[in-house]
Amino acid sequence: MTSGSSNISTDVPLGFERHDHAACVSEGLLAAETRCADDGLRFTPVRRKVLEILLQEHRALGAYVILDRLREEGFGSQPPVAYRALDFLVTHGLAHKIERLNAFIACAHPDQIHAPAFMICRLCDSVAEAQSRTSRSVLASAAKATGFRIERTVVEAEGLCPGCAEQADA
Amino acid sequence: MTSGSSNISTDVPLGFERHDHAACVSEGLLAAETRCADDGLRFTPVRRKVLEILLQEHRALGAYVILDRLREEGFGSQPPVAYRALDFLVTHGLAHKIERLNAFIACAHPDQIHAPAFMICRLCDSVAEAQSRTSRSVLASAAKATGFRIERTVVEAEGLCPGCAEQADA
DNA sequence: GAGCCACTTGTCATATTATAACACTTCTCG
DNA sequence: CGAGAAGTGTTATAATATGACAAGTGGCTC
């Protein structure tokens, strides 16, 4: 994703790094298509559009922002339309909910097993997804000690992204 | 808190372990009082009552549940009353918000520096707070690698507590 | 291809969580 | 004591999320 190659479509440091952002969208959609085909899931127009909307930003979007965009594109405009598509994407690992923000973001690693961790910039709102091995976490050891059986984890850090931290220091 | 001593007031395994629960409440309130006195904070009746309500359970309570109890006790009954008290408690480390549940829980370690991690049982709703050192976490290394400056972390695991896991297996 | 089924979409209605703004009171500190 | 800051209570409203039901769509068997 960090693109050693071609056309940088934006120089905003989204996901904290410059990259070929157009590729994020197309690759993301392609990965989702493949995945759905493989797993016998229906990648319908609404679902596709919602993922596309999410992929367009390395930020978390609220359900109602997504809903507005869906309306503009001619889809249904009532909350369940957005929530159901988001639910589908989250359930199948194509998107994640950022609990801290009550908002949603496209998955950056739809191929791998995901116990994702996020870094959320409180100034520019960008969100980066880190790959995480659950096993060596604080949670894993605490869970082991008490006998808790982990099914899902929420790991989110709030703070300043590299760019904003630099500006803040200046 | 695991009480080598006296009267077990309930045998429900709250916080996943049997313990002298009456002591949780009184010790919690005492710790808060001390802390507020030390730091020149006002531990007013509403704030005290909200903390007491939270301490009575090793579960996260929604703001509106708390609000109902406040009303029963003769306090104001509009949302801001509860939210302001909760905000005070969270700001000063006497309570935490469980983002996954949009709900609140009393801090189990009000004395220490807190980068807490929680284990949430999806069946019995109990929540245990683990002590965590942020430093060796997935987040810390990801942050270091990208230059992200962490200010606050949310670490929550959802799954089955020891008791519920056992029942589920049976 | 007709009929059946599961799934998806769209809508209305409503629940749940959270905050803005303002008047009034209480506490603190000079 | 008086001025200002902090806290409380209220009204009103915003933002987030779900339940229930009707209608449409696609894939299936026979």
Side-chain angles (χ1 to χ4, degrees):
Chain A
M1 293 272 171
T2 334
S3 155
S5 62
S6 53
N7 68 327
I8 303 323
S9 61
T10 162
D11 61 11
V12 185
L14 290 171
F16 309 169
E17 294 177 20
R18 299 222 165 117
H19 59 281
D20 179 350
H21 186 55
C24 287
V25 179
S26 54
E27 285 170 16
L29 288 173
L30 194 60
E33 250 161 42
T34 309
R35 164 75 90 81
C36 290
D38 288 354
D39 295 6
L41 304 170
R42 291 169 61 186
F43 196 47
T44 63
V46 207
R47 292 168 178 177
R48 186 188 170 87
K49 179 50 79 179
V50 170
L51 182 58
E52 188 184 335
I53 291 167
L54 291 176
L55 283 165
Q56 275 159 5
E57 332 223 1
H58 292 278
R59 296 189 301 129
L61 297 180
Y64 283 74
V65 169
I66 291 166
L67 191 55
D68 285 346
R69 304 220 185 147
L70 284 179
R71 176 170 27 237
E72 289 165 11
E73 304 276 347
F75 292 92
S77 60
Q78 299 303 313
V81 173
Y83 280 103
R84 283 188 298 227
L86 287 165
D87 188 57
F88 171 87
L89 296 172
V90 168
T91 298
H92 297 98
L94 299 169
H96 300 290
K97 179 168 190 185
I98 305 295
E99 300 289 348
R100 184 74 227 288
L101 305 177
N102 293 319
F104 302 82
I105 191 166
C107 178
H109 312 283
D111 305 326
Q112 287 117 308
I113 298 297
H114 38 286
F118 300 95
M119 291 175 285
I120 308 164
C121 179
R122 69 171 159 82
L123 290 185
C124 72
D125 264 2
S126 62
V127 175
E129 178 178 350
Q131 271 301 64
S132 95
R133 250 157 310 260
T134 322
S135 47
R136 46 186 221 88
S137 74
V138 175
L139 279 176
S141 49
K144 194 164 184 189
T146 58
F148 186 87
R149 185 184 300 168
I150 294 177
E151 291 173 345
R152 183 182 179 281
T153 59
V154 173
V155 177
E156 300 170 359
E158 195 174 15
L160 297 180
C161 73
C164 291
E166 205 174 316
Q167 283 193 268
D169 287 339
Chain B
M1 293 273 170
T2 334
S3 159
S5 62
S6 54
N7 68 327
I8 305 321
S9 60
T10 162
D11 61 9
V12 186
L14 289 171
F16 308 168
E17 295 177 17
R18 299 220 165 121
H19 59 282
D20 179 350
H21 187 54
C24 287
V25 179
S26 54
E27 284 170 17
L29 287 172
L30 194 60
E33 252 161 41
T34 308
R35 162 74 91 81
C36 290
D38 289 354
D39 295 6
L41 304 171
R42 292 168 60 187
F43 196 47
T44 63
V46 206
R47 291 168 179 178
R48 185 188 171 87
K49 177 52 76 180
V50 171
L51 182 58
E52 189 185 334
I53 291 167
L54 291 176
L55 283 164
Q56 276 159 4
E57 332 221 4
H58 292 279
R59 297 189 300 130
L61 297 180
Y64 283 74
V65 169
I66 292 165
L67 191 55
D68 285 345
R69 304 219 186 148
L70 284 178
R71 177 169 26 238
E72 289 165 11
E73 304 275 347
F75 292 92
S77 60
Q78 298 305 313
V81 174
Y83 279 103
R84 282 188 298 228
L86 287 165
D87 188 58
F88 171 88
L89 296 172
V90 168
T91 298
H92 297 100
L94 300 169
H96 300 290
K97 181 169 188 183
I98 305 296
E99 300 289 348
R100 186 74 227 287
L101 304 176
N102 293 319
F104 301 83
I105 191 165
C107 179
H109 312 283
D111 305 325
Q112 286 116 307
I113 299 297
H114 39 286
F118 300 95
M119 292 175 284
I120 307 163
C121 180
R122 71 173 157 82
L123 289 185
C124 72
D125 263 1
S126 63
V127 176
E129 178 178 349
Q131 272 301 65
S132 96
R133 252 157 309 261
T134 322
S135 47
R136 46 186 222 88
S137 73
V138 175
L139 279 175
S141 51
K144 195 164 182 188
T146 59
F148 186 86
R149 184 184 302 168
I150 294 178
E151 292 173 344
R152 184 181 179 282
T153 58
V154 173
V155 177
E156 299 170 0
E158 195 175 15
L160 297 181
C161 73
C164 292
E166 206 174 318
Q167 282 192 267
D169 286 338

